[in-house]
PDB file of all heavy atoms in Angstrom:
ATOM      1  N   LEU A 522      48.037  98.966  19.802  1.00  0.00           N
ATOM      2  CA  LEU A 522      49.161  99.764  19.322  1.00  0.00           C
ATOM      3  C   LEU A 522      49.424  99.527  17.839  1.00  0.00           C
ATOM      4  O   LEU A 522      49.831 100.425  17.119  1.00  0.00           O
ATOM      5  CB  LEU A 522      50.424  99.439  20.128  1.00  0.00           C
ATOM      6  CG  LEU A 522      50.451  99.947  21.567  1.00  0.00           C
ATOM      7  CD1 LEU A 522      51.695  99.435  22.283  1.00  0.00           C
ATOM      8  CD2 LEU A 522      50.402 101.464  21.596  1.00  0.00           C
ATOM      9  N   ALA A 523      49.203  98.316  17.384  1.00  0.00           N
ATOM     10  CA  ALA A 523      49.485  97.974  16.000  1.00  0.00           C
ATOM     11  C   ALA A 523      48.379  98.412  15.050  1.00  0.00           C
ATOM     12  O   ALA A 523      48.591  98.510  13.858  1.00  0.00           O
ATOM     13  CB  ALA A 523      49.698  96.465  15.875  1.00  0.00           C
ATOM     14  N   ALA A 524      47.193  98.683  15.562  1.00  0.00           N
ATOM     15  CA  ALA A 524      46.070  99.078  14.716  1.00  0.00           C
ATOM     16  C   ALA A 524      46.346 100.440  14.093  1.00  0.00           C
ATOM     17  O   ALA A 524      46.897 101.326  14.734  1.00  0.00           O
ATOM     18  CB  ALA A 524      44.787  99.137  15.551  1.00  0.00           C
ATOM     19  N   PRO A 525      45.980 100.642  12.833  1.00  0.00           N
ATOM     20  CA  PRO A 525      46.206 101.945  12.202  1.00  0.00           C
ATOM     21  C   PRO A 525      45.350 103.018  12.873  1.00  0.00           C
ATOM     22  O   PRO A 525      44.202 102.777  13.219  1.00  0.00           O
ATOM     23  CB  PRO A 525      45.784 101.716  10.748  1.00  0.00           C
ATOM     24  CG  PRO A 525      44.924 100.508  10.769  1.00  0.00           C
ATOM     25  CD  PRO A 525      45.342  99.689  11.949  1.00  0.00           C
ATOM     26  N   GLN A 526      45.936 104.165  13.032  1.00  0.00           N
ATOM     27  CA  GLN A 526      45.239 105.280  13.660  1.00  0.00           C
ATOM     28  C   GLN A 526      44.672 106.186  12.577  1.00  0.00           C
ATOM     29  O   GLN A 526      45.328 106.458  11.580  1.00  0.00           O
ATOM     30  CB  GLN A 526      46.204 106.087  14.555  1.00  0.00           C
ATOM     31  CG  GLN A 526      46.827 105.267  15.667  1.00  0.00           C
ATOM     32  CD  GLN A 526      45.778 104.796  16.657  1.00  0.00           C
ATOM     33  OE1 GLN A 526      44.927 105.564  17.069  1.00  0.00           O
ATOM     34  NE2 GLN A 526      45.845 103.531  17.022  1.00  0.00           N
ATOM     35  N   ALA A 527      43.452 106.664  12.772  1.00  0.00           N
ATOM     36  CA  ALA A 527      42.846 107.598  11.832  1.00  0.00           C
ATOM     37  C   ALA A 527      43.545 108.947  11.967  1.00  0.00           C
ATOM     38  O   ALA A 527      43.831 109.402  13.065  1.00  0.00           O
ATOM     39  CB  ALA A 527      41.355 107.754  12.138  1.00  0.00           C
ATOM     40  N   VAL A 528      43.821 109.574  10.847  1.00  0.00           N
ATOM     41  CA  VAL A 528      44.456 110.885  10.849  1.00  0.00           C
ATOM     42  C   VAL A 528      43.357 111.930  10.769  1.00  0.00           C
ATOM     43  O   VAL A 528      42.547 111.918   9.845  1.00  0.00           O
ATOM     44  CB  VAL A 528      45.427 111.027   9.652  1.00  0.00           C
ATOM     45  CG1 VAL A 528      46.020 112.412   9.608  1.00  0.00           C
ATOM     46  CG2 VAL A 528      46.497 109.967   9.725  1.00  0.00           C
ATOM     47  N   ALA A 529      43.335 112.832  11.726  1.00  0.00           N
ATOM     48  CA  ALA A 529      42.301 113.868  11.763  1.00  0.00           C
ATOM     49  C   ALA A 529      42.600 114.944  10.728  1.00  0.00           C
ATOM     50  O   ALA A 529      43.746 115.322  10.522  1.00  0.00           O
ATOM     51  CB  ALA A 529      42.233 114.484  13.156  1.00  0.00           C
ATOM     52  N   ASP A 530      41.561 115.420  10.072  1.00  0.00           N
ATOM     53  CA  ASP A 530      41.687 116.527   9.142  1.00  0.00           C
ATOM     54  C   ASP A 530      41.898 117.793   9.948  1.00  0.00           C
ATOM     55  O   ASP A 530      41.164 118.065  10.890  1.00  0.00           O
ATOM     56  CB  ASP A 530      40.413 116.625   8.298  1.00  0.00           C
ATOM     57  CG  ASP A 530      40.491 117.695   7.223  1.00  0.00           C
ATOM     58  OD1 ASP A 530      41.544 118.329   7.080  1.00  0.00           O
ATOM     59  OD2 ASP A 530      39.481 117.885   6.530  1.00  0.00           O
ATOM     60  N   SER A 531      42.889 118.579   9.589  1.00  0.00           N
ATOM     61  CA  SER A 531      43.197 119.776  10.375  1.00  0.00           C
ATOM     62  C   SER A 531      42.283 120.946  10.041  1.00  0.00           C
ATOM     63  O   SER A 531      42.319 121.965  10.711  1.00  0.00           O
ATOM     64  CB  SER A 531      44.657 120.188  10.165  1.00  0.00           C
ATOM     65  OG  SER A 531      44.858 120.504   8.799  1.00  0.00           O
ATOM     66  N   THR A 532      41.438 120.831   9.010  1.00  0.00           N
ATOM     67  CA  THR A 532      40.517 121.897   8.653  1.00  0.00           C
ATOM     68  C   THR A 532      39.239 121.736   9.458  1.00  0.00           C
ATOM     69  O   THR A 532      38.549 120.732   9.310  1.00  0.00           O
ATOM     70  CB  THR A 532      40.173 121.838   7.155  1.00  0.00           C
ATOM     71  OG1 THR A 532      41.376 121.862   6.409  1.00  0.00           O
ATOM     72  CG2 THR A 532      39.277 122.991   6.764  1.00  0.00           C
ATOM     73  N   PRO A 533      38.907 122.707  10.330  1.00  0.00           N
ATOM     74  CA  PRO A 533      37.684 122.561  11.116  1.00  0.00           C
ATOM     75  C   PRO A 533      36.453 122.702  10.224  1.00  0.00           C
ATOM     76  O   PRO A 533      36.378 123.609   9.410  1.00  0.00           O
ATOM     77  CB  PRO A 533      37.761 123.690  12.142  1.00  0.00           C
ATOM     78  CG  PRO A 533      38.689 124.691  11.543  1.00  0.00           C
ATOM     79  CD  PRO A 533      39.624 123.926  10.636  1.00  0.00           C
ATOM     80  N   ALA A 534      35.534 121.792  10.352  1.00  0.00           N
ATOM     81  CA  ALA A 534      34.305 121.839   9.569  1.00  0.00           C
ATOM     82  C   ALA A 534      33.293 122.741  10.249  1.00  0.00           C
ATOM     83  O   ALA A 534      33.309 122.905  11.465  1.00  0.00           O
ATOM     84  CB  ALA A 534      33.728 120.432   9.436  1.00  0.00           C
ATOM     85  N   ALA A 535      32.429 123.329   9.451  1.00  0.00           N
ATOM     86  CA  ALA A 535      31.363 124.148  10.007  1.00  0.00           C
ATOM     87  C   ALA A 535      30.389 123.245  10.741  1.00  0.00           C
ATOM     88  O   ALA A 535      30.078 122.159  10.269  1.00  0.00           O
ATOM     89  CB  ALA A 535      30.633 124.897   8.903  1.00  0.00           C
ATOM     90  N   PRO A 536      29.911 123.671  11.900  1.00  0.00           N
ATOM     91  CA  PRO A 536      28.901 122.874  12.605  1.00  0.00           C
ATOM     92  C   PRO A 536      27.636 122.765  11.756  1.00  0.00           C
ATOM     93  O   PRO A 536      27.403 123.589  10.878  1.00  0.00           O
ATOM     94  CB  PRO A 536      28.629 123.693  13.866  1.00  0.00           C
ATOM     95  CG  PRO A 536      29.697 124.700  13.959  1.00  0.00           C
ATOM     96  CD  PRO A 536      30.269 124.882  12.597  1.00  0.00           C
ATOM     97  N   ALA A 537      26.818 121.749  12.010  1.00  0.00           N
ATOM     98  CA  ALA A 537      25.562 121.596  11.274  1.00  0.00           C
ATOM     99  C   ALA A 537      24.711 122.854  11.432  1.00  0.00           C
ATOM    100  O   ALA A 537      24.130 123.351  10.485  1.00  0.00           O
ATOM    101  CB  ALA A 537      24.809 120.372  11.772  1.00  0.00           C
ATOM    102  N   PHE A 538      24.620 123.366  12.630  1.00  0.00           N
ATOM    103  CA  PHE A 538      23.994 124.646  12.889  1.00  0.00           C
ATOM    104  C   PHE A 538      25.057 125.530  13.514  1.00  0.00           C
ATOM    105  O   PHE A 538      25.822 125.076  14.352  1.00  0.00           O
ATOM    106  CB  PHE A 538      22.806 124.513  13.846  1.00  0.00           C
ATOM    107  CG  PHE A 538      21.629 123.832  13.214  1.00  0.00           C
ATOM    108  CD1 PHE A 538      21.314 122.526  13.521  1.00  0.00           C
ATOM    109  CD2 PHE A 538      20.835 124.509  12.310  1.00  0.00           C
ATOM    110  CE1 PHE A 538      20.234 121.904  12.946  1.00  0.00           C
ATOM    111  CE2 PHE A 538      19.748 123.894  11.723  1.00  0.00           C
ATOM    112  CZ  PHE A 538      19.442 122.582  12.042  1.00  0.00           C
ATOM    113  N   ILE A 539      25.107 126.763  13.096  1.00  0.00           N
ATOM    114  CA  ILE A 539      26.147 127.664  13.570  1.00  0.00           C
ATOM    115  C   ILE A 539      25.809 128.164  14.965  1.00  0.00           C
ATOM    116  O   ILE A 539      24.811 128.846  15.169  1.00  0.00           O
ATOM    117  CB  ILE A 539      26.316 128.853  12.600  1.00  0.00           C
ATOM    118  CG1 ILE A 539      26.622 128.347  11.201  1.00  0.00           C
ATOM    119  CG2 ILE A 539      27.384 129.804  13.077  1.00  0.00           C
ATOM    120  CD1 ILE A 539      27.829 127.443  11.103  1.00  0.00           C
ATOM    121  N   ASP A 540      26.638 127.818  15.920  1.00  0.00           N
ATOM    122  CA  ASP A 540      26.442 128.234  17.305  1.00  0.00           C
ATOM    123  C   ASP A 540      26.902 129.672  17.511  1.00  0.00           C
ATOM    124  O   ASP A 540      27.781 130.159  16.803  1.00  0.00           O
ATOM    125  CB  ASP A 540      27.241 127.328  18.251  1.00  0.00           C
ATOM    126  CG  ASP A 540      26.751 125.893  18.202  1.00  0.00           C
ATOM    127  OD1 ASP A 540      25.537 125.696  18.061  1.00  0.00           O
ATOM    128  OD2 ASP A 540      27.593 124.993  18.287  1.00  0.00           O
ATOM    129  N   CYS A 541      26.319 130.330  18.497  1.00  0.00           N
ATOM    130  CA  CYS A 541      26.768 131.675  18.862  1.00  0.00           C
ATOM    131  C   CYS A 541      28.248 131.597  19.215  1.00  0.00           C
ATOM    132  O   CYS A 541      28.674 130.710  19.950  1.00  0.00           O
ATOM    133  CB  CYS A 541      25.972 132.207  20.054  1.00  0.00           C
ATOM    134  SG  CYS A 541      24.198 132.359  19.737  1.00  0.00           S
ATOM    135  N   GLY A 542      29.042 132.492  18.648  1.00  0.00           N
ATOM    136  CA  GLY A 542      30.465 132.548  18.950  1.00  0.00           C
ATOM    137  C   GLY A 542      31.361 131.872  17.935  1.00  0.00           C
ATOM    138  O   GLY A 542      32.572 132.045  17.968  1.00  0.00           O
ATOM    139  N   TRP A 543      30.811 131.090  16.977  1.00  0.00           N
ATOM    140  CA  TRP A 543      31.653 130.438  15.977  1.00  0.00           C
ATOM    141  C   TRP A 543      32.031 131.442  14.898  1.00  0.00           C
ATOM    142  O   TRP A 543      31.179 132.106  14.324  1.00  0.00           O
ATOM    143  CB  TRP A 543      30.943 129.243  15.358  1.00  0.00           C
ATOM    144  CG  TRP A 543      31.842 128.471  14.420  1.00  0.00           C
ATOM    145  CD1 TRP A 543      32.880 127.666  14.766  1.00  0.00           C
ATOM    146  CD2 TRP A 543      31.786 128.455  12.996  1.00  0.00           C
ATOM    147  NE1 TRP A 543      33.475 127.139  13.650  1.00  0.00           N
ATOM    148  CE2 TRP A 543      32.823 127.615  12.541  1.00  0.00           C
ATOM    149  CE3 TRP A 543      30.968 129.076  12.052  1.00  0.00           C
ATOM    150  CZ2 TRP A 543      33.058 127.373  11.191  1.00  0.00           C
ATOM    151  CZ3 TRP A 543      31.207 128.836  10.714  1.00  0.00           C
ATOM    152  CH2 TRP A 543      32.237 127.988  10.294  1.00  0.00           C
ATOM    153  N   VAL A 544      33.329 131.594  14.632  1.00  0.00           N
ATOM    154  CA  VAL A 544      33.832 132.540  13.637  1.00  0.00           C
ATOM    155  C   VAL A 544      34.503 131.753  12.511  1.00  0.00           C
ATOM    156  O   VAL A 544      35.506 131.081  12.744  1.00  0.00           O
ATOM    157  CB  VAL A 544      34.840 133.523  14.268  1.00  0.00           C
ATOM    158  CG1 VAL A 544      35.426 134.451  13.213  1.00  0.00           C
ATOM    159  CG2 VAL A 544      34.181 134.319  15.386  1.00  0.00           C
ATOM    160  N   PRO A 545      33.977 131.848  11.298  1.00  0.00           N
ATOM    161  CA  PRO A 545      34.571 131.115  10.178  1.00  0.00           C
ATOM    162  C   PRO A 545      35.756 131.873   9.581  1.00  0.00           C
ATOM    163  O   PRO A 545      35.933 133.064   9.826  1.00  0.00           O
ATOM    164  CB  PRO A 545      33.424 131.059   9.168  1.00  0.00           C
ATOM    165  CG  PRO A 545      32.692 132.340   9.394  1.00  0.00           C
ATOM    166  CD  PRO A 545      32.770 132.568  10.897  1.00  0.00           C
ATOM    167  N   GLY A 546      36.523 131.180   8.770  1.00  0.00           N
ATOM    168  CA  GLY A 546      37.598 131.830   8.026  1.00  0.00           C
ATOM    169  C   GLY A 546      37.024 132.648   6.879  1.00  0.00           C
ATOM    170  O   GLY A 546      35.874 132.457   6.463  1.00  0.00           O
ATOM    171  N   ASP A 547      37.812 133.570   6.355  1.00  0.00           N
ATOM    172  CA  ASP A 547      37.383 134.416   5.242  1.00  0.00           C
ATOM    173  C   ASP A 547      37.702 133.679   3.944  1.00  0.00           C
ATOM    174  O   ASP A 547      38.814 133.764   3.433  1.00  0.00           O
ATOM    175  CB  ASP A 547      38.092 135.766   5.296  1.00  0.00           C
ATOM    176  CG  ASP A 547      37.570 136.741   4.258  1.00  0.00           C
ATOM    177  OD1 ASP A 547      36.720 136.355   3.429  1.00  0.00           O
ATOM    178  OD2 ASP A 547      38.009 137.903   4.266  1.00  0.00           O
TER     179      ASP A 547
END
Side-chain angles (χ1 to χ4, degrees):
L522 288 174
Q526 300 295 315
V528 177
D530 184 3
S531 62
T532 305
F538 289 105
I539 303 304
D540 296 324
C541 299
W543 186 73
V544 177
D547 187 355

